[in-house]
Protein backbone atom coordinates (compact mmCIF):
# COMPACT_ATOMS: atom_id res chain seq x y z
CA UNK A 1 0.00 0.00 0.00
CA UNK A 2 1.72 3.16 -1.16
CA UNK A 3 -0.18 5.84 0.73
CA UNK A 4 -3.20 6.40 2.97
CA UNK A 5 -4.79 9.69 3.97
CA UNK A 6 -6.79 10.54 7.09
CA UNK A 7 -9.09 13.53 7.45
CA UNK A 8 -9.38 14.43 11.13
CA UNK A 9 -6.78 14.76 13.89
CA UNK A 10 -8.82 13.88 16.96
CA UNK A 11 -8.12 10.95 19.24
CA UNK A 12 -9.59 8.32 16.92
CA UNK A 13 -8.49 9.82 13.61
CA UNK A 14 -4.88 10.21 14.74
CA UNK A 15 -4.85 6.65 16.02
CA UNK A 16 -6.17 5.30 12.72
CA UNK A 17 -3.45 7.24 10.91
CA UNK A 18 -0.84 5.79 13.28
CA UNK A 19 -2.36 2.32 12.82
CA UNK A 20 -2.21 2.69 9.02
CA UNK A 21 1.42 3.81 9.23
CA UNK A 22 2.46 0.94 11.50
CA UNK A 23 0.15 -1.97 10.72
CA UNK A 24 -1.13 -1.53 7.16
CA UNK A 25 2.14 -1.48 5.20
CA UNK A 26 1.50 2.08 4.08
CA UNK A 27 4.66 3.78 2.90
CA UNK A 28 3.32 7.16 3.94
CA UNK A 29 0.26 8.42 5.82
CA UNK A 30 -1.04 11.97 5.50
CA UNK A 31 -3.23 13.66 8.13
CA UNK A 32 -5.36 16.69 7.28
CA UNK A 33 -7.19 18.87 9.76
CA UNK A 34 -8.25 22.48 10.03
CA UNK A 35 -5.09 24.35 11.09
CA UNK A 36 -6.75 25.97 14.10
CA UNK A 37 -7.96 22.69 15.63
CA UNK A 38 -6.32 22.36 19.10
CA UNK A 39 -5.41 18.70 18.63
CA UNK A 40 -3.84 19.47 15.24
CA UNK A 41 -1.82 22.34 16.72
CA UNK A 42 -0.54 19.97 19.40
CA UNK A 43 0.50 17.43 16.76
CA UNK A 44 2.30 20.11 14.72
CA UNK A 45 4.18 21.42 17.74
CA UNK A 46 5.12 18.14 19.39
CA UNK A 47 4.32 15.34 16.88
CA UNK A 48 2.42 13.59 19.65
CA UNK A 49 -0.81 13.68 21.64
CA UNK A 50 -1.68 12.15 25.04
CA UNK A 51 -1.95 8.70 23.46
CA UNK A 52 0.77 8.27 20.84
CA UNK A 53 3.76 9.71 18.99
CA UNK A 54 3.61 10.14 15.21
CA UNK A 55 5.81 7.79 13.19
CA UNK A 56 8.42 9.09 10.78
CA UNK A 57 6.26 8.04 7.83
CA UNK A 58 3.39 10.33 8.90
CA UNK A 59 2.96 13.94 7.79
CA UNK A 60 0.57 16.76 8.73
CA UNK A 61 -1.21 18.95 6.19
CA UNK A 62 -3.26 22.14 6.50
CA UNK A 63 -4.75 22.05 2.99
CA UNK A 64 -7.19 19.30 2.09
CA UNK A 65 -6.05 19.13 -1.53
CA UNK A 66 -2.65 17.90 -0.34
CA UNK A 67 -4.11 14.65 1.02
CA UNK A 68 -6.43 13.78 -1.85
CA UNK A 69 -3.76 12.20 -4.03
CA UNK A 70 -4.12 8.87 -2.23
CA UNK A 71 -6.84 6.47 -3.38
CA UNK A 72 -7.79 5.34 0.15
CA UNK A 73 -8.97 8.05 2.54
CA UNK A 74 -10.21 7.60 6.11
CA UNK A 75 -12.59 10.22 7.51
CA UNK A 76 -12.82 10.71 11.28
CA UNK A 77 -14.48 14.01 12.17
CA UNK A 78 -17.56 15.13 14.08
CA UNK A 79 -20.58 13.64 12.32
CA UNK A 80 -22.45 16.94 12.14
CA UNK A 81 -19.57 18.38 10.06
CA UNK A 82 -19.56 15.61 7.44
CA UNK A 83 -21.95 17.32 5.04
CA UNK A 84 -19.83 20.47 4.80
CA UNK A 85 -16.73 18.31 4.29
CA UNK A 86 -18.47 16.30 1.55
CA UNK A 87 -19.39 19.52 -0.25
CA UNK A 88 -15.77 20.61 -0.06
CA UNK A 89 -14.51 17.25 -1.31
CA UNK A 90 -16.82 17.43 -4.31
CA UNK A 91 -14.90 20.49 -5.47
CA UNK A 92 -11.85 18.31 -6.16
CA UNK A 93 -11.26 15.37 -8.47
CA UNK A 94 -11.98 12.38 -6.22
CA UNK A 95 -13.42 10.12 -8.91
CA UNK A 96 -12.97 6.43 -8.06
CA UNK A 97 -11.46 6.99 -4.61
CA UNK A 98 -12.46 4.92 -1.57
CA UNK A 99 -13.58 6.66 1.63
CA UNK A 100 -13.78 4.82 4.95
CA UNK A 101 -16.15 6.58 7.36
CA UNK A 102 -14.74 5.92 10.83
CA UNK A 103 -17.27 7.94 12.85
CA UNK A 104 -20.36 6.71 14.66
CA UNK A 105 -23.36 8.99 14.50
CA UNK A 106 -26.42 10.19 12.61
CA UNK A 107 -26.89 13.64 11.16
CA UNK A 108 -29.41 15.99 12.70
CA UNK A 109 -32.28 16.60 12.31
CA UNK A 110 -33.43 13.61 10.23
CA UNK A 111 -31.17 10.81 11.50
CA UNK A 112 -29.45 10.63 8.12
CA UNK A 113 -26.89 7.84 7.93
CA UNK A 114 -23.41 9.05 7.08
CA UNK A 115 -23.02 7.20 3.81
CA UNK A 116 -26.18 8.92 2.56
CA UNK A 117 -24.74 12.31 3.53
CA UNK A 118 -21.73 11.56 1.32
CA UNK A 119 -23.87 10.38 -1.59
CA UNK A 120 -26.16 13.40 -1.38
CA UNK A 121 -23.31 15.89 -1.61
CA UNK A 122 -20.76 14.19 -3.86
CA UNK A 123 -21.74 13.92 -7.52
CA UNK A 124 -18.66 11.96 -8.54
CA UNK A 125 -18.43 8.17 -8.54
CA UNK A 126 -16.72 7.17 -5.30
CA UNK A 127 -16.65 4.10 -3.06
CA UNK A 128 -17.82 4.26 0.56
CA UNK A 129 -17.19 1.88 3.45
CA UNK A 130 -17.89 2.22 7.16
CA UNK A 131 -16.05 1.10 10.28
CA UNK A 132 -17.84 -0.01 13.44
CA UNK A 133 -17.27 -2.05 16.55
CA UNK A 134 -15.39 -1.89 19.85
CA UNK A 135 -11.97 -0.45 20.52
CA UNK A 136 -10.31 2.35 22.44
CA UNK A 137 -7.06 4.06 21.54
CA UNK A 138 -5.71 3.56 25.06
CA UNK A 139 -6.19 -0.21 24.82
CA UNK A 140 -4.81 -0.49 21.30
CA UNK A 141 -1.66 1.38 22.28
CA UNK A 142 -1.15 -1.30 24.95
CA UNK A 143 -1.48 -3.87 22.11
CA UNK A 144 -4.76 -5.21 23.46
CA UNK A 145 -6.40 -6.83 20.39
CA UNK A 146 -10.02 -6.32 19.39
CA UNK A 147 -12.50 -6.84 16.55
CA UNK A 148 -14.35 -4.50 14.23
CA UNK A 149 -16.70 -4.67 11.28
CA UNK A 150 -16.28 -3.12 7.83
CA UNK A 151 -19.38 -2.65 5.70
CA UNK A 152 -20.22 -1.23 2.30
CA UNK A 153 -22.91 -1.61 -0.34
CA UNK A 154 -20.17 -2.95 -2.63
CA UNK A 155 -18.77 -6.38 -1.80
CA UNK A 156 -15.45 -5.76 -3.52
CA UNK A 157 -14.99 -2.53 -1.54
CA UNK A 158 -15.49 -4.40 1.74
CA UNK A 159 -12.94 -6.96 0.66
CA UNK A 160 -10.40 -4.34 -0.44
CA UNK A 161 -10.72 -2.24 2.72
CA UNK A 162 -10.46 -5.24 5.03
CA UNK A 163 -7.35 -6.47 3.25
CA UNK A 164 -5.79 -3.02 3.66
CA UNK A 165 -6.71 -2.69 7.35
CA UNK A 166 -6.35 -6.28 8.64
CA UNK A 167 -3.65 -6.95 11.25
CA UNK A 168 -2.94 -8.99 14.35
CA UNK A 169 -4.14 -6.04 16.45
CA UNK A 170 -7.60 -5.66 14.92
CA UNK A 171 -9.57 -8.49 13.33
CA UNK A 172 -12.05 -7.12 10.81
CA UNK A 173 -15.29 -8.87 9.92
CA UNK A 174 -17.33 -8.46 6.75
CA UNK A 175 -20.56 -6.58 7.46
CA UNK A 176 -23.81 -7.63 5.83
CA UNK A 177 -26.12 -4.71 6.67
CA UNK A 178 -24.80 -1.36 5.47
CA UNK A 179 -27.75 0.55 6.92
CA UNK A 180 -28.02 -1.39 10.16
CA UNK A 181 -24.36 -1.26 11.03
CA UNK A 182 -24.30 2.52 10.70
CA UNK A 183 -27.43 2.98 12.80
CA UNK A 184 -26.31 0.43 15.38
CA UNK A 185 -22.93 2.10 15.78
CA UNK A 186 -24.54 5.52 16.11
CA UNK A 187 -27.10 4.50 18.72
CA UNK A 188 -24.44 2.70 20.68
CA UNK A 189 -23.23 6.17 21.65
CA UNK A 190 -26.72 7.12 22.82
CA UNK A 191 -26.98 4.01 25.00
CA UNK A 192 -23.51 4.87 26.32
CA UNK A 193 -24.91 8.13 27.70
CA UNK A 194 -27.71 6.19 29.40
CA UNK A 195 -25.14 3.85 30.97
CA UNK A 196 -23.15 6.82 32.20
CA UNK A 197 -26.23 8.31 33.83
CA UNK A 198 -26.79 5.02 35.66
CA UNK A 199 -23.17 5.18 36.84
CA UNK A 200 -23.64 8.76 37.99
CA UNK A 201 -26.74 7.76 39.94
CA UNK A 202 -24.92 4.66 41.25
CA UNK A 203 -27.75 2.54 39.86
CA UNK A 204 -25.26 -0.02 38.57
CA UNK A 205 -27.69 -2.92 38.78
CA UNK A 206 -29.81 -1.45 35.99
CA UNK A 207 -26.99 -1.62 33.44
CA UNK A 208 -27.76 -5.29 32.84
CA UNK A 209 -31.37 -4.42 32.02
CA UNK A 210 -30.15 -1.61 29.78
CA UNK A 211 -27.89 -4.01 27.89
CA UNK A 212 -30.73 -6.48 27.42
CA UNK A 213 -33.41 -4.03 26.31
CA UNK A 214 -31.45 -1.47 24.31
CA UNK A 215 -30.67 -3.75 21.32
CA UNK A 216 -34.40 -4.50 21.03
CA UNK A 217 -35.12 -0.78 20.76
CA UNK A 218 -32.20 -0.13 18.42
CA UNK A 219 -33.24 -3.09 16.25
CA UNK A 220 -36.67 -1.51 15.92
CA UNK A 221 -35.05 1.71 14.66
CA UNK A 222 -32.80 -0.21 12.25
CA UNK A 223 -35.80 -2.08 10.82
CA UNK A 224 -37.65 1.18 10.28
CA UNK A 225 -34.84 2.35 7.99
CA UNK A 226 -34.80 -0.91 6.05
CA UNK A 227 -32.00 -2.73 7.86
CA UNK A 228 -31.94 -6.05 9.69
CA UNK A 229 -32.94 -5.65 13.37
CA UNK A 230 -30.61 -8.51 14.31
CA UNK A 231 -27.68 -6.28 13.36
CA UNK A 232 -28.18 -4.58 16.75
CA UNK A 233 -26.76 -7.75 18.32
CA UNK A 234 -23.59 -7.64 16.23
CA UNK A 235 -20.22 -5.94 16.61
CA UNK A 236 -21.37 -2.46 15.62
CA UNK A 237 -23.83 -2.17 18.52
CA UNK A 238 -23.98 -4.85 21.23
CA UNK A 239 -20.39 -5.84 20.45
CA UNK A 240 -19.29 -2.30 21.31
CA UNK A 241 -21.03 -2.19 24.69
CA UNK A 242 -18.02 -3.05 26.84
CA UNK A 243 -16.04 -0.22 25.26
CA UNK A 244 -18.92 2.22 25.65
CA UNK A 245 -21.11 1.24 28.59
CA UNK A 246 -18.32 0.31 30.99
CA UNK A 247 -15.01 1.78 29.84
CA UNK A 248 -13.51 4.76 31.63
CA UNK A 249 -12.24 5.87 28.21
CA UNK A 250 -15.72 6.28 26.66
CA UNK A 251 -16.63 9.91 26.04
CA UNK A 252 -20.34 9.10 25.85
CA UNK A 253 -20.43 7.12 29.09
CA UNK A 254 -18.39 9.81 30.85
CA UNK A 255 -20.68 12.53 29.49
CA UNK A 256 -23.68 10.69 30.96
CA UNK A 257 -22.00 10.16 34.32
CA UNK A 258 -21.02 13.80 34.68
CA UNK A 259 -24.44 14.93 33.49
CA UNK A 260 -26.09 12.87 36.24
CA UNK A 261 -23.77 14.51 38.76
CA UNK A 262 -24.46 17.99 37.43
CA UNK A 263 -20.93 18.36 36.06
CA UNK A 264 -19.70 19.51 32.65
CA UNK A 265 -17.74 17.05 30.49
CA UNK A 266 -16.43 19.50 27.89
CA UNK A 267 -15.52 16.98 25.18
CA UNK A 268 -17.28 15.68 22.08
CA UNK A 269 -19.93 13.04 22.83
CA UNK A 270 -21.52 12.07 19.51
CA UNK A 271 -24.43 10.40 21.27
CA UNK A 272 -25.67 13.80 22.43
CA UNK A 273 -26.35 14.88 18.84
CA UNK A 274 -27.53 11.48 17.64
CA UNK A 275 -30.09 11.37 20.47
CA UNK A 276 -31.80 14.48 19.15
CA UNK A 277 -31.97 13.07 15.62
CA UNK A 278 -33.39 9.77 16.88
CA UNK A 279 -36.05 11.59 18.93
CA UNK A 280 -37.12 13.62 15.88
CA UNK A 281 -37.67 10.52 13.75
CA UNK A 282 -39.23 8.44 16.53
CA UNK A 283 -41.82 11.17 17.12
CA UNK A 284 -42.42 11.78 13.42
CA UNK A 285 -42.86 8.12 12.50
CA UNK A 286 -44.31 6.84 15.78
CA UNK A 287 -41.45 4.45 16.62
CA UNK A 288 -41.46 3.15 20.18
CA UNK A 289 -38.11 4.19 21.67
CA UNK A 290 -38.69 4.38 25.45
CA UNK A 291 -35.02 4.46 26.46
CA UNK A 292 -34.16 7.21 23.98
CA UNK A 293 -37.33 9.11 24.88
CA UNK A 294 -36.51 9.09 28.60
CA UNK A 295 -32.92 10.02 27.85
CA UNK A 296 -34.02 12.94 25.68
CA UNK A 297 -36.38 14.20 28.38
CA UNK A 298 -33.52 14.21 30.88
CA UNK A 299 -30.72 15.55 28.66
CA UNK A 300 -32.64 18.06 26.53
CA UNK A 301 -35.85 18.60 28.47
CA UNK A 302 -34.47 19.21 31.93
CA UNK A 303 -36.67 16.48 33.44
CA UNK A 304 -35.73 15.03 36.82
CA UNK A 305 -33.11 12.41 36.06
CA UNK A 306 -34.08 9.81 38.65
CA UNK A 307 -37.79 9.99 37.91
CA UNK A 308 -37.20 9.92 34.16
CA UNK A 309 -34.89 6.90 34.21
CA UNK A 310 -37.19 5.09 36.65
CA UNK A 311 -40.12 5.70 34.28
CA UNK A 312 -38.53 3.34 31.75
CA UNK A 313 -39.02 0.48 34.18
CA UNK A 314 -42.49 1.55 35.34
CA UNK A 315 -44.13 1.10 31.94
CA UNK A 316 -47.12 -1.15 31.23
CA UNK A 317 -46.46 -4.83 31.91
CA UNK A 318 -45.65 -6.82 28.78
CA UNK A 319 -43.98 -9.98 27.51
CA UNK A 320 -40.19 -9.79 27.25
CA UNK A 321 -40.26 -11.36 23.75
CA UNK A 322 -43.14 -10.44 21.50
Amino acid sequence: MSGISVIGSGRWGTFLAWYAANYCNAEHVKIYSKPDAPDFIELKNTRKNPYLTLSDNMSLHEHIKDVLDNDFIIISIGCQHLRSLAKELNGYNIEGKTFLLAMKGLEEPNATILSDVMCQEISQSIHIATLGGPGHVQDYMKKVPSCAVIDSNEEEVKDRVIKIMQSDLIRFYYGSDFIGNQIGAALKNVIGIAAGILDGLEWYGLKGALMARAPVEVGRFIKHFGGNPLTAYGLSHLGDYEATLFSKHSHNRTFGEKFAKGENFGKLAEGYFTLKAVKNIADRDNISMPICQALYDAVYGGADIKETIRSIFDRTLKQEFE
Side-chain angles (χ1 to χ4, degrees), residues 48-68:
K48 63 182 181 180
N49 64 20
Y51 315 104
L52 57 84
T53 299
L54 300 184
S55 307
D56 291 339
N57 60 337
M58 300 171 68
S59 58
L60 303 169
H61 300 267
E62 298 181 1
H63 303 288
I64 195 168
K65 63 181 178 61
D66 295 335
V67 304
L68 298 180

Side-chain angles (χ1 to χ4, degrees), residues 181-240:
N181 273 316
Q182 291 182 74
I183 293 175
L187 268 71
K188 175 270 307 182
N189 288 333
V190 173
I191 304 306
I193 292 177
I197 288 177
L198 293 179
D199 286 340
L201 297 175
E202 299 185 0
W203 289 5
Y204 309 118
L206 285 179
K207 291 180 81 170
L210 178 67
M211 289 178 64
R213 295 308 302 169
V216 178
E217 183 167 318
V218 172
R220 195 178 296 132
F221 203 75
I222 289 173
K223 182 178 180 180
H224 179 77
F225 279 85
N228 183 348
L230 292 179
T231 299
Y233 297 89
L235 279 171
S236 69
H237 187 74
L238 183 60
D240 207 352

Side-chain angles (χ1 to χ4, degrees), residues 52-111:
L52 57 84
T53 299
L54 300 184
S55 307
D56 291 339
N57 60 337
M58 300 171 68
S59 58
L60 303 169
H61 300 267
E62 298 181 1
H63 303 288
I64 195 168
K65 63 181 178 61
D66 295 335
V67 304
L68 298 180
D69 53 339
N70 289 321
D71 291 330
F72 182 53
I73 300 169
I74 300 170
I75 299 178
S76 179
I77 63 173
C79 296
Q80 307 310 316
H81 301 295
L82 180 60
R83 189 173 295 276
S84 60
L85 172 66
K87 290 179 179 179
E88 184 179 5
L89 289 171
N90 197 45
Y92 297 92
N93 180 13
I94 55 172
E95 186 79 21
K97 295 186 183 296
T98 298
F99 292 87
L100 175 62
L101 304 181
M103 316 93 78
K104 303 169 183 178
L106 301 173
E107 186 191 47
E108 289 187 66
N110 297 318

